[in-house]
Every structure is written in structure tokens, then in C-alpha cells.
Amino acid sequence: QKEVEQDPGPLSVPEGAIVSLNCTYSNSAFQYFMWYRQYSRKGPELLMYTYSSGNKEDGRFTAQVDKSSKYISLFIRDSQPSDSATYLCAMKEGGSEKLVFGKGTKLTVNP
Amino acid sequence: EAQVTQNPRYLITVTGKKLTVTCSQNMNHEYMSWYRQDPGLGLRQIYYSMNVEVTDKGDVPEGYKVSRKEKRNFPLILESPSPNQTSLYFCASSPMTHSYEQYFGPGTRLTVT
């Protein structure tokens, strides 16, 4: 089993839809959970992070972590064409310098 | 502007011809790292550095070298490139080791024929 699993998509939704992106993981030592967004021909940029379990909201974006199920999600409300990008989940153990990335899910929001 | 820069952005070369991809950050970050990104494989770490003169292997270090002589620079060296090193390369930096946030450069697309 891979350490981090992420459905690569692609995912195509109409503008205004609610988008759900997910990752599962196997390493119970992961404590930091991040979502990076990567636009075409650009480097990834940090979108949101969560420490341990729970929810975090930032505008139209909500990150959820369920450590008991080893499952993390990113929800995008009222999706916009500008949200079209590849979304990568990333995780790390506390005290570790290594980020473990999912393979990314390519999202297209159609006007 | 705070940023990570990489040069060149695009490079086509031939097998065996040594090349260097430069990476520089102007944020006084301690931690720097190199990744390669391939379709279906995602981002994989090549090498990382926790500070000047401190470097260590990531998940896929074979065929690559790095050095960290100055805090701001972290060049990636391919001494004898091969076609399986054709990839998109990203340099990243973090303000400190063990940080969850990494700042990525714009990427270098390398083709080895």
C-alpha cells in the first residue's frame, strides 16, 4: 500500500459546484496535513494546512482530517474557473523534514 | 519580492553532457529541497539540505548531486544525464527545518535525448 493515495482524476465540474477532493494514507505518524495547488506551468503553492484532526475553513475552502479513518478532504464551495488546477495533498510526521505528496488531482471548473 | 528562482526554465540536452540547474531563494530560508515531477508518479524528493554544508538524500537521489555552499543557493547537478532523467524539476525552500510549508520555484523542464 502506498503511503499516500490520491485519485488523479481528472475532475470536471460546472462553475458554482461544490468540489470534494480526497486523500487516504497509511502512516499513522502523520500529524501535518496540507493541500497544495498547482496551476499549469507553475510550482505548487500551499493552499491550506491542518494540524492533527479536525476542520479548517478559509473562505470557500474547507480542509478536513479524519485520523481515525486516515482520510483527508478538501472542499471547494462555489467553485470558479480560476480554481482550475491540480490539487496535491501532502503530509508529514511531526519533527520530520520530509513532505510526502499525493500524485495530485486535476480539476477543471467549466464556466 | 520573496521568491525561489530556478534557471534555466527549459533545457534540452544530450545523454552524458553534464548540466547544472541553479536554484536561489531570497527569503533566508534554512531548508531547501529538489523534487522531480513525473506523470503518474507525482512529486518525488531528490535531495534536501537543512543548512549550509548539510545535505542528504531523498527518495530518488541516483544520478544527481547537490551542494549548499551558501544559504541562498542550492544547485542540482547531473554529471551524466540519461533519458530517464527527463522530467519537470522543482526547487523548494522552507523557513526552517520541520516546517509544513514549502515555497516552490517555477520549475525546470529538462529533456535528455
Side-chain angles (χ1 to χ4, degrees):
Chain A
Q1 182 184 7
K2 293 194 185 305
E3 210 166 12
V4 177
E5 302 258 23
Q6 183 176 10
D7 187 339
L11 186 60
S12 181
V13 301
E15 183 175 352
I18 297 174
V19 175
S20 173
L21 304 167
N22 311 293
C23 289
T24 59
Y25 63 94
S26 58
N27 184 352
S28 57
F30 286 144
Q31 291 186 294
Y32 293 88
F33 303 91
M34 286 72 68
W35 287 95
Y36 280 77
R37 178 175 60 194
Q38 184 177 16
Y39 289 116
S40 181
R41 302 181 195 281
K42 302 282 189 184
E45 57 179 352
L46 181 67
L47 184 62
M48 294 188 73
Y49 92 95
T50 308
Y51 174 70
S52 194
S53 278
N55 294 0
K56 189 169 187 177
E57 189 172 320
D58 184 2
R60 296 183 295 109
F61 298 88
T62 300
Q64 287 185 352
V65 175
D66 181 349
K67 291 192 76 177
S68 62
S69 301
K70 297 191 177 67
Y71 188 88
I72 72 169
S73 301
L74 177 70
F75 297 96
I76 307 174
R77 290 184 300 280
D78 188 25
S79 56
Q80 302 296 308
S82 59
D83 296 327
S84 298
T86 296
Y87 290 80
L88 302 106
C89 62
M91 307 175 190
K92 81 176 207 72
E93 299 178 19
S96 169
E97 63 281 328
K98 183 179 177 182
L99 294 189
V100 181
F101 285 89
K103 293 180 181 178
T105 300
K106 185 172 182 180
L107 171 68
T108 301
V109 181
N110 301 298
Chain B
E1 180 190 354
Q3 59 183 348
V4 178
T5 56
Q6 295 179 228
N7 282 292
R9 295 288 314 279
Y10 302 90
L11 179 60
I12 301 173
T13 189
V14 296
T15 299
K17 186 176 181 182
K18 181 179 179 179
L19 67 91
T20 299
V21 183
T22 64
C23 172
S24 184
Q25 49 92 6
N26 61 1
M27 297 170 280
N28 200 37
H29 285 175
E30 289 184 0
Y31 180 90
M32 297 185 75
S33 181
W34 276 103
Y35 296 87
R36 60 178 289 174
Q37 188 175 40
D38 302 288
L41 296 176
L43 273 170
R44 294 179 292 167
Q45 190 178 51
I46 302 170
Y47 268 96
Y48 64 95
S49 169
M50 291 196 282
N51 215 322
V52 175
E53 302 290 2
V54 181
T55 63
D56 208 345
K57 296 176 181 178
D59 297 316
V60 288
E62 295 77 21
Y64 304 94
K65 284 177 58 177
V66 293
S67 68
R68 186 99 180 267
K69 292 182 170 41
E70 304 167 280
K71 198 171 186 179
R72 62 185 293 133
N73 296 323
F74 190 44
L76 179 70
I77 302 156
L78 285 73
E79 299 239 332
S80 183
S82 61
N84 65 11
Q85 292 178 299
T86 293
S87 187
L88 180 57
Y89 291 87
F90 288 101
C91 180
S93 71
S94 283
M96 63 189 76
T97 55
H98 311 321
S99 172
Y100 61 84
E101 181 168 16
Q102 294 193 7
Y103 296 78
F104 284 81
T108 295
R109 183 164 294 281
L110 172 65
T111 302
V112 183
T113 61

